[in-house]
Amino acid sequence: MSLIVMKFGGSSVGTPERMQRVAKRIIERQQEGNDIVVVVSAMGDTTDDLIDQSKQLNPNPPAREMDMLLTVGEQISIALLSMTINQLGHRAVSFTGWQAGIRTEAVHGKAKMTNIQPERVFKALEQGNAVIIAGFQGMTEDGEITTLGRGGSDTTAVAMAAAMNADVCEIYTDVDGVYSTDPRVVKNARKLNEISYDEMLELANLGAAVLHPRAVEYAKHYNVKLVVRSSFTQNEGTSVKEEAVMEQGVVVRGIAFDKNVARISILGVEDVPGVLANVFGALAVKGIDVDIIVQSGVQDGKADFSFTVSGDDKDKAIAVIEGNRGSVPFREATSEADLVKVSIVGAGMVSNPGVAAKMFAAISSLGVSIKMVSTSEIKCSCVISSESLNEVVRALHTAYGLDTAEQAFVGGPQDRR
């Protein structure tokens, strides 16, 4: 008998019909002789609706109360799914995150799990139940309800699989695996049979929405066998594991993009030691993540440098920099929005020269300017204007030989967490 953890996102359980389809999929896996633990997200747009309601009453609600509110979405899902399974003549029991033993740090909105005590889950399995667990949530040692932030349900599923030593963790979504790029943009994207943790982590960090980076990190750290597959078909999915077989001649495995990018430029900064530490230290204190950093040449003892942040953090970053003028004098600070970051990823890039050059050539052939570049052993990223995104992704996909004759399957709206 195998222990399988199955995770279903919001679009997979977004309607009564889809809820029944998921329930039947769970029962099928049970009837194969498996113990089943299921992690579920809130149905459809439930979370967005709750956020909208809260803003109508309080534009700046306390973080604790937002966690109390948002965890309701997952609780609705688990109760309805458990009811559906029972109606179909099989046993299931639902648990909130804290009932399942998930403990977190005392941070509201984006807490990290500290440990999992799944004894109650094991006991329910021994009694013949499928166990349905609310994703995205946990509880502190002091009994405060917390949420885990974006990707929280993916992370919950992988963490439960690790804590329970599950045989596999299956992430069900609206596409039937990991593709070479978003199949909504490139209809003939290539489905990958398998991909390494490192490649998947790069793709997830660079904007690929099929898995959240924290979930991949957990899987890599605890060596959890991870499979991404569709909740709408019976197709084989994509295995994410330590080492993946590389296809002959395929150097770039995937193309990811981040649509929410802004560039900040600080001009005329004194070229003295400690300037960058001062600027980026001040941004870190305010919780602003910085991505690509580029410094230009020094002229008359002054330097210019630029960096990217999330588009949501643009105004906040400018305010921090302006407020730091006393410590780091500069001539001018500017910002640019409506940018995207396009990235190519592949473990074979490190041993194949000319991969980045092909990327630059493909982009320039479209008459698109590259504003910033960042590279590592297995990825190359370019910041460009947002209006060119789709045609650049398609051009890169073709340039690296990733196009296929088949059309990718997309079963529904994209899951949010």
Side-chain angles (χ1 to χ4, degrees):
M1 180 178 291
S2 296
L3 172 58
I4 299 174
V5 176
M6 307 169 72
K7 182 264 175 178
F8 293 92
S11 66
S12 298
V13 293
T15 65
E17 293 76 20
R18 291 182 177 183
M19 188 78 75
Q20 289 182 326
R21 182 189 297 117
V22 167
K24 291 174 182 176
R25 176 69 66 93
I26 293 166
I27 291 168
E28 286 174 5
R29 302 310 300 272
Q30 272 188 312
Q31 290 178 328
E32 293 169 359
N34 303 301
D35 283 333
I36 303 296
V37 173
V38 183
V39 174
V40 186
S41 297
M43 296 173 63
D45 295 326
T46 300
T47 301
D48 290 341
D49 292 342
L50 291 172
I51 292 172
D52 289 343
Q53 290 180 50
S54 73
K55 288 182 177 179
Q56 292 174 25
L57 298 170
N58 185 342
N60 297 293
R64 178 188 184 276
E65 302 311 321
M66 282 302 292
D67 278 359
M68 291 290 286
L69 176 67
L70 296 184
T71 50
V72 171
E74 276 69 22
Q75 291 183 53
I76 293 171
S77 292
I78 61 172
L80 290 176
L81 182 55
S82 181
M83 292 175 189
T84 305
I85 293 171
N86 278 280
Q87 171 63 24
L88 292 171
H90 294 262
R91 298 185 61 182
V93 61
S94 63
F95 290 152
T96 62
W98 47 95
Q99 287 176 319
I102 298 173
R103 299 292 176 263
T104 76
E105 61 184 3
V107 175
H108 289 291
K110 51 180 179 181
K112 293 182 179 178
M113 285 176 277
T114 55
N115 66 81
I116 297 179
Q117 301 163 352
E119 290 80 8
R120 190 172 180 182
V121 179
F122 277 123
K123 184 175 180 180
L125 289 173
E126 291 171 359
Q127 295 170 346
N129 294 289
V131 180
I132 318 299
I133 298 173
F136 181 63
Q137 60 185 250
M139 180 176 283
T140 70
E141 294 297 335
D142 294 333
E144 288 292 319
I145 294 172
T146 56
T147 60
L148 308 180
R150 288 192 62 83
S153 291
D154 282 357
T155 309
T156 299
V158 176
M160 288 299 304
M164 301 183 70
N165 196 28
D167 294 276
V168 65
C169 178
E170 298 179 342
I171 306 294
Y172 288 81
T173 182
D174 57 341
V175 292
D176 56 358
V178 179
Y179 280 82
S180 50
T181 195
D182 188 337
R184 299 167 190 81
V185 175
V186 179
K187 300 298 184 184
N188 58 342
R190 178 187 298 243
K191 180 182 166 184
L192 307 177
N193 293 325
E194 54 186 47
I195 187 170
S196 70
Y197 290 130
D198 289 337
E199 288 173 319
M200 189 67 247
L201 186 56
E202 281 283 14
L203 286 170
N205 276 316
L206 293 167
V210 67
L211 282 174
H212 193 273
R214 276 202 294 170
V216 183
E217 288 173 355
Y218 260 96
K220 178 177 173 62
H221 183 74
Y222 294 103
N223 197 30
V224 174
K225 182 181 178 183
L226 199 56
V227 177
V228 180
R229 57 191 310 181
S230 173
S231 59
F232 299 96
T233 74
Q234 296 289 342
N235 297 342
E236 290 295 322
T238 300
S239 295
V240 185
K241 54 188 182 180
E242 186 60 44
E243 295 292 339
V245 175
M246 293 184 62
E247 296 179 59
Q248 187 69 30
V250 177
V251 176
V252 170
R253 300 272 281 165
I255 300 168
F257 50 86
D258 182 354
K259 295 182 179 180
N260 191 24
V261 176
R263 178 169 66 170
I264 309 293
S265 297
I266 307 179
L267 311 177
V269 181
E270 196 76 26
D271 184 39
V272 295
V275 168
L276 294 181
N278 194 313
V279 171
F280 294 115
L283 292 168
V285 167
K286 295 298 183 179
I288 299 173
D289 290 327
V290 174
D291 187 14
I292 302 174
I293 304 171
V294 176
Q295 180 172 335
S296 63
V298 179
Q299 188 173 8
D300 298 327
K302 304 288 186 179
D304 302 336
F305 64 92
S306 301
F307 57 91
T308 59
V309 297
S310 164
D312 299 332
D313 288 334
K314 176 177 69 69
D315 293 339
K316 186 177 176 183
I318 287 290
V320 170
I321 292 164
E322 292 289 355
N324 205 37
R325 268 187 184 269
S327 301
V328 182
F330 56 87
R331 184 179 76 252
E332 182 184 9
T334 64
S335 65
E336 184 179 4
D338 296 323
L339 302 177
V340 294
K341 181 175 66 175
V342 181
S343 306
I344 57 173
V345 175
M349 289 173 58
V350 67
S351 57
N352 286 271
V355 178
K358 183 181 286 189
M359 181 181 195
F360 304 150
I363 295 174
S364 65
S365 70
L366 298 171
V368 176
S369 297
I370 298 173
K371 298 174 181 291
M372 302 178 80
V373 176
S374 174
T375 64
S376 73
E377 289 185 340
I378 67 170
K379 65 97 174 172
C380 181
S381 300
C382 294
V383 177
I384 61 173
S385 62
S386 61
E387 62 188 14
S388 306
L389 173 62
N390 286 359
E391 62 177 337
V392 165
V393 171
R394 294 184 186 117
L396 291 172
H397 201 267
T398 299
Y400 290 107
L402 297 174
D403 294 345
T404 66
E406 299 178 2
Q407 287 217 341
F409 174 83
V410 181
Q414 192 171 3
D415 291 335
R416 286 178 169 79
R417 63 170 185 251

